[in-house]
Structures are given as C-alpha cells and as structure tokens.
Amino acid sequence: MRDAMVFAILVGLAAVAAFCSLAESAIARVSRTKAHHLVQERKTRAARALLRMVENPAPHANALLLLRLLVYVAGTVVAVAWALERWDGAAEAILIGGLTPLLFVICEAVP
C-alpha cells in the first residue's frame, strides 16, 4: 500500500468516527420540547424525523455505535497491514496497542 493512500484512508475513517460521535451527541442534546416546537413551527419532514429520533434514540444510537466500532476495526486493520509491509512484527503490536486508544481520543473525546 502506498503511504499517502493509507494516510487518506485513516483520515477518512477518523472523520467518519468523529461524525458518528458528533451525531450521537446531537441526538442526546436535543430535547423533546425543542423537537416538538420545531415540528409545530416548521412542519417539515426533517423536523418530524428529528422528533422521531428524539422520542426513540436507541435504534439511532445503536447504529452509530456499530458504525463507529466498524470504523475502529477497519482503521486498525489498515494501519497494521501498512506497518507489516514496512516494518517487522514489532510494529504490529505497537500499532494495535496504540492506534485504537489514539482513535478513541481523537474521535471520541475531542468532539
């Protein structure tokens, strides 16, 4: 794998994970009262969809958590495959032990 391609893939995966964290936070932050007010005020499909999400956030939150988990696994696999091409087996252990916590900090704690 080329270094630039691997870097682009990892940045893209980190962006998807960060988006999932932001979306989960946004769903949790919007109150039912605010969603009801938006439905009454705007009467749009988006407002009704937001109300449905706020009234029953579990399916949406579970989908976001699953997607984020898949992104973490994919990022780890890509990074380890890249490291194995470039270095010996020691890099594998370093990346597995270091990349997942790094992704957690960048994509979970920062947003």
Side-chain angles (χ1 to χ4, degrees):
M1 280 191 258
R2 292 185 168 171
D3 294 345
M5 183 178 70
V6 169
F7 182 73
I9 290 171
L10 291 176
V11 167
L13 289 172
V16 171
F19 174 77
C20 289
S21 294
L22 290 171
E24 184 181 1
S25 296
I27 290 171
R29 258 324 258 162
V30 175
S31 67
R32 287 183 182 177
T33 307
K34 178 68 175 172
H36 280 290
H37 178 70
L38 286 173
V39 168
Q40 292 173 352
E41 182 180 287
R42 298 193 183 167
K43 297 183 185 348
T44 62
R45 282 185 10 194
R48 288 190 299 273
L50 177 64
L51 180 61
R52 283 193 306 272
M53 276 193 268
V54 170
E55 287 179 340
N56 189 16
H60 307 287
N62 288 339
L64 290 169
L65 288 171
L66 178 63
L67 180 60
R68 195 168 51 221
L69 176 65
L70 293 174
V71 166
Y72 288 162
V73 170
T76 303
V77 167
V78 169
V80 169
W82 173 77
L84 287 175
E85 284 183 8
R86 293 187 56 95
W87 302 302
D88 58 357
E92 179 180 3
I94 292 169
L95 283 171
I96 289 173
L99 185 65
T100 302
L102 179 68
L103 277 174
F104 175 78
V105 168
I106 291 172
C107 301
E108 291 281 335
V110 172

